[in-house]
Amino acid sequence: MIDSSKIAPGYSEAYKAFSNIIFGYNTDEISIEVINEIPYASALVKIGNGPRGLVILEEISKNKFTWISADEIYFVTMNGRIVRTAGLENNLIDVTQPDINSIIDELEYSQEYFYYYSYDFPELKNLELRAKIKFIKREEVRLLSGNRELRMFEESIESGVLGWKVKNLYWIDDSNFIWKSIQHISPLIPQIEIEITKKPS
């Protein structure tokens, strides 16, 4: 589990202060001006058909980014991909994955690789997922932070053991930063949509 007690006191105080401002709004009313008032990187997250919620970057450690929501749901991302969660009904606790950025840099045709996912409840360790990624198109994407020309990639993942087969979508800039994504992390959790509203510095 992610230890929420390790949040720095200064961060906690600032987070509470800004949450009083941010979460007083309907999410659809949050503007880029409001986002820019927050001295932390942020993103909008939507789980399944639920409402969009704001998450704020709590910590960066060894290329892993920990994001926290108002209701204390945590997401850890690495190179824009979710590698750990806390506060969900079925949490992803560990991921073994290849260097996807290297695969994208060298991508001419679709390439195949494997993930290994571990979960907390029900406990499941090292579920093997076969994955394949391909470039779809370059397009102008409308984000809260402004329009950006991004590359869209489609990643197909499947588990023969569970009969689970889904597709992830990533919108990536030329430096391989993921600005927007639709990701599936578990057969028991709906898709998770993430849009970066303020990029980590």
Side-chain angles (χ1 to χ4, degrees), residues 116-182:
Y116 294 89
Y117 279 12
S118 296
Y119 302 94
D120 62 353
F121 183 80
E123 185 178 1
L124 178 60
K125 294 184 178 180
N126 296 321
L127 172 67
E128 182 179 89
L129 298 171
R130 183 186 301 271
K132 183 179 290 187
I133 194 166
K134 64 181 179 179
F135 171 75
I136 301 298
K137 61 182 177 179
R138 183 180 287 269
E139 63 178 349
E140 186 171 337
V141 181
R142 184 177 180 180
L143 304 173
L144 184 64
S145 59
N147 291 358
R148 295 181 184 275
E149 186 174 309
L150 302 173
R151 298 170 296 156
M152 178 183 175
F153 288 85
E154 179 186 270
E155 181 185 49
S156 302
I157 62 173
E158 63 178 304
S159 163
V161 173
L162 299 181
W164 182 45
K165 187 175 183 180
V166 290
K167 292 183 178 180
N168 296 328
L169 297 175
Y170 301 98
W171 285 265
I172 308 175
D173 67 17
D174 290 335
S175 65
N176 286 344
F177 182 80
I178 297 176
W179 284 93
K180 181 180 177 181
S181 64
I182 299 174

Side-chain angles (χ1 to χ4, degrees), residues 98-113 133-135 151 153 174 176:
D99 183 350
I100 310 298
N101 284 346
S102 294
I103 292 174
I104 288 174
D105 285 338
E106 299 170 3
L107 189 64
E108 292 185 27
Y109 305 100
S110 61
Q111 288 200 27
E112 190 174 88
Y113 45 93
I133 194 166
K134 64 181 179 179
F135 171 75
R151 298 170 296 156
F153 288 85
D174 290 335
N176 286 344

Side-chain angles (χ1 to χ4, degrees), residues 27 30-32 35-36 38 40-45 52-56 67 143-146 148 177-180 194-200:
T27 307
I30 296 176
S31 67
I32 192 61
I35 291 294
N36 287 338
I38 306 172
Y40 304 99
S42 61
L44 291 172
V45 173
R52 294 193 304 172
L54 190 72
V55 294
I56 293 175
W67 308 81
L143 304 173
L144 184 64
S145 59
R148 295 181 184 275
F177 182 80
I178 297 176
W179 284 93
K180 181 180 177 181
I194 303 176
E195 178 188 328
I196 300 298
T197 49
K198 190 173 185 180
K199 183 178 180 181

